[in-house]
Every structure is written in C-alpha cells, then in structure tokens.
Amino acid sequence: MSKIKLIDHSLVKHSLSVLRDKTTKTEMFRRHTATVSQIIIVEVLKDIATKEITVETPLGNSKGHKVQEKIVVVPVLRAGLSMLFSTRDFLPWASVGFIGLERDENTAIAREYYQKLPQNIKNKYVLILDPMLATGGSLVDTITAVKQKQPKNISAVCIVGAPEGIERLKKNHPDVDLYIAAIDSHLDENKFIVPGLGDFGDRYFGT
Ligand code: PRP
Ligand code: URA
C-alpha cells in the first residue's frame, strides 16, 4: 500500500497560500515554489541511506557520513521542472531523466511527447517530480514508464493533489510512496483541482 506522507510545515503552508492566491505574479510564484519544493525534498531525503566515513578536521579525525543511495530525479515536463531546480541544490550529483506529458484540454487524458531516461536506473532510487496530481493519469503513466527500467524504489513528489489522483496512484502503483504538501477537496468538471491553484505550468512559466 502506498505510504502518503503529508508535509506538515509552517513555511510550506505559508508558501502554498501564496501559490494559491490568484493575484500572485510569476516572480513570487517561482520563489514560493522553490521554498515548498526544497522543504518537501528535505523531508523525502530525511532518512536516505548513508555510509560512515572518517573526516580529517583541522584538529583531528571525526566520524562523518556520505550519502550512499544512487538517486535519479525525473521531473514530468513541463511543470515538474519547477521542482528540479530546488532538488538540484541538494543532489547536484543525481542523474536526471525527463518525461514529457501533456493533458488534452478536453479529455484531461495525458499524452506522452518526450522521454529520455538515464541508461542505468536499475537498483537506483527514483524521485518523480510533478507539482500537480489531479486525475493521476500523468503520474501513473510516468511510474509505469520508469518501472520498465527496474529501479530499486520510486517515490512521487507533488505539491497539491486531489483524492481522485491519490486513489488512482494507490490502485495502480501500491508500492510507490507519495510525498505531498496538500490534499484538496475534489476535481471540477474540467479535471482541475479545487480549490487548487489553477494551471501550475502556465503560472510558473508565465504562459
Ligand atoms: C499538469 C501537471 C501534471 C498533470 C496532472 O500538466 O503538471 O503533469 O497536469 O494532471 P493529471 O493528474 O490529471 O494527469 P499539464 O498536462 O497541464 O502540462 P504542463 O506541465 O506542460 O503544463
Ligand atoms: N494541472 C494543473 O496544473 N492544475 C490542475 O488543477 C490540474 C492539472
């Protein structure tokens, strides 16, 4: 069964409220997306595997730690790119793969238009980044594509989700954990999250 980890942090709540506000302009939208993404990523990586090392300080030897987990980050284009920039700050060595998906405006069914994943994902820990989890179609399809490369583990990292999308994730990929900042009420007739924040990609990229 997927573990759903709701990120409970005052700074996330503050920044998310700025993202939800329809009067927020692109510059502030980007700034607060970075804050939310950074805090979520810190939470995702809290217990990541490390190995013990010895560090020579100016005054002697100290026990130290080095991250051992091999991580692959997969932002779902376009909107997932907004979370990649923050993830890169913590994991500058991680490989990055891309999946491009776009929902049809009428049917809300996602169509894949691009895929470039690293050659060797086997036995690595994959973080899929996508700020919005609405019907769940984009996330479920992304996970299905990534699983074909046989990773050790997959976590999904989102900002706002709807119950419909979470149910779909649980049903299709019960082995994938979800880290998310907010679970909203429902989807509207156009499959947009209510209350949500509107079209994330358009607001982030200023389109
Ligand atoms: C948005 C969002 C997710 C998807 C969520 O992308 O970034 O990928 O919709 O909806 P779903 O759960 O119903 O699949 P969109 O298709 O609008 O493309 P964009 O990122 O290029 O704006
Ligand atoms: N994609 C978005 O950007 N927003 C929604 O509410 C649903 C899908």
Side-chain angles (χ1 to χ4, degrees):
M1 177 65 114
S2 314
K3 187 178 79 187
I4 311 296
K5 174 92 175 118
L6 192 61
I7 309 299
D8 184 18
H9 195 296
S10 296
L11 292 180
V12 169
K13 288 177 187 158
H14 172 88
S15 287
L16 190 50
S17 304
V18 178
L19 296 180
R20 289 187 189 280
D21 187 335
K22 67 179 182 185
T23 67
T24 298
K25 301 272 188 307
T26 307
E27 188 182 342
M28 290 299 273
F29 197 89
R30 288 177 177 167
R31 189 187 295 178
H32 287 277
T33 296
T35 303
V36 171
S37 304
Q38 282 165 353
I39 295 169
I40 299 177
I41 288 296
V42 165
E43 192 59 34
V44 173
L45 300 175
K46 195 162 67 115
D47 297 318
I48 199 104
T50 58
K51 68 173 178 190
E52 279 197 10
I53 56 169
T54 302
V55 183
E56 212 177 318
T57 79
L59 300 177
N61 285 343
S62 166
K63 197 171 83 176
H65 298 89
K66 190 173 163 58
V67 171
Q68 209 177 12
E69 195 84 73
K70 302 247 183 312
I71 297 175
V72 177
V73 185
V74 178
V76 180
L77 304 178
R78 281 177 310 171
L81 277 180
S82 66
M83 302 176 78
L84 174 66
F85 306 135
S86 304
T87 308
R88 177 202 52 191
D89 294 342
F90 296 114
L91 302 169
W93 59 84
S95 316
V96 182
F98 297 92
I99 294 199
L101 288 170
E102 188 172 35
R103 292 200 326 172
D104 182 289
E105 280 182 9
N106 298 312
T107 63
I109 294 171
R111 172 188 68 87
E112 184 178 310
Y113 60 87
Y114 187 73
Q115 186 183 129
K116 185 108 185 163
L117 295 171
Q119 287 292 341
N120 188 7
I121 287 188
K122 228 176 182 171
N123 299 325
K124 295 187 179 168
Y125 179 21
V126 176
L127 300 180
I128 296 176
L129 310 178
D130 195 338
M132 305 304 277
L133 173 58
T135 66
S138 303
L139 185 59
V140 164
D141 288 356
T142 301
I143 295 170
T144 302
V146 169
K147 276 187 174 173
Q148 285 172 16
K149 306 270 180 185
Q150 298 174 285
K152 181 172 87 179
N153 194 20
I154 302 176
S155 288
V157 188
C158 300
I159 295 179
V160 180
E164 293 89 330
I166 290 170
E167 280 314 306
R168 189 158 170 182
L169 171 68
K170 282 185 185 167
K171 184 163 167 264
N172 288 275
H173 297 294
D175 53 328
V176 172
D177 292 338
L178 171 69
Y179 293 80
I180 193 159
I183 300 172
D184 280 7
S185 166
H186 62 281
L187 297 176
D188 71 7
E189 62 280 10
N190 298 313
K191 308 292 184 202
F192 267 73
I193 301 170
V194 181
L197 49 75
D199 189 309
F200 190 100
D202 282 351
R203 296 193 66 190
Y204 186 89
F205 290 107
T207 45

